Amino acid sequence: MGNEPTTLEFSTSTPRGAVFDEWAALMNETYFPLTLEPIEEAPTFGRVTSSALPGVPGFSLTTLAGRNQHFRRTKTHVAAGLEEYLLVSIQISGHARLTQRGRSVTLLPGQMTILDTSLPSVWDCGAAFEQVLVQVPTRYLRDQPGLEQIRIPAATAIEPDSPPGVVATYFRELARIRLHAPAEADLLAGAALGLLGSAVLLAAGDKPVDTPADALSREHVTVFLREHYTDPDLSAAEVAAACHISRRTLFRLFDGPGASLNDTLRGLRVRHAERLLTSPRTRPLAAVAFESGFASERHFYRVFQQETGMTPRDYRNTHIR
């Protein structure tokens, strides 16, 4: 099933009232203590889609859309918070203006910025907008190598074609993928915390240390696997060459906690087979095996049963009514 996201939304023609107050309360619950008010006496709406990310408690990925909303976090809110968070915002559409630490930045589509909840801030989103937000307790981010004492580069526009902008692309695509393939999104999310740390280091002007840098390389490999896993002839040598690393480095990147290289590839293929087996169009099992990237029907049967506890035929019969 994967970590399926939940979505809540609201719309009102009169921004002063119970409906808007309920939305403001939801924002406090989803993020951290803040005040939310309409910018003007005009219709307003909001939609939030959120899910947890693996690695540490409180690590989440959210897509927020809306209009006519003014977010304000004061010193009183900061003092009342039980946890400090780092919030990364990636603008998808529209624009938003963040003010923090005496700096103001207007985000345009594709740009990213960082908010530090240990400081007061103001966030204005007047016209219709959509953002991807990544939130993590700051203490867990500080546990990563190189981030213990670094000054968080808040309220700075990070361009999509910059080195940390690569990480913004990763989170934007992860938010998109989880809507229709949450299980595959879970596989891709394994390196999320390390990549977020890399983005902060790069935005601050520091070079990532080994662990975050490896996370970037591993994610590059994972993206390549996701695009080519249906090729039954895909080899480690081909993956390494396409990602401009050696075979030794390739296997080292997947050595340790988390799924191995083979486990990642096998998981992608099994998830694909599950979708084919439950689709309205009934395919022969041999076709499902080939279209999912398995070299033979026999190999497909063995791997599928190991991963799901069921044969492909039983899985189809169980999930199609």
Side-chain angles (χ1 to χ4, degrees), residues 40-60:
E40 58 183 349
E41 297 299 323
T44 184
F45 76 91
R47 182 180 68 253
V48 60
T49 301
S50 60
S51 62
L53 288 171
V56 295
F59 191 22
S60 65

Side-chain angles (χ1 to χ4, degrees), residues 180-252:
H180 59 84
E184 289 186 10
D186 281 354
L187 285 172
L188 293 170
L193 186 60
L195 287 168
L196 184 62
S198 296
V200 174
L201 281 169
L202 291 166
D206 289 355
K207 293 183 178 180
V209 293
D210 289 346
T211 299
D214 282 354
L216 281 168
S217 297
R218 177 173 172 144
E219 190 51 41
H220 186 194
V221 172
T222 305
V223 170
F224 179 84
L225 291 178
R226 187 178 179 277
E227 293 174 347
H228 297 86
Y229 67 86
T230 56
D231 177 4
D233 296 322
L234 186 65
S235 66
E238 183 179 350
V239 174
C243 297
H244 307 290
I245 56 177
S246 66
R247 290 181 79 257
R248 181 177 180 180
T249 298
L250 173 64
F251 286 107
R252 180 179 61 79

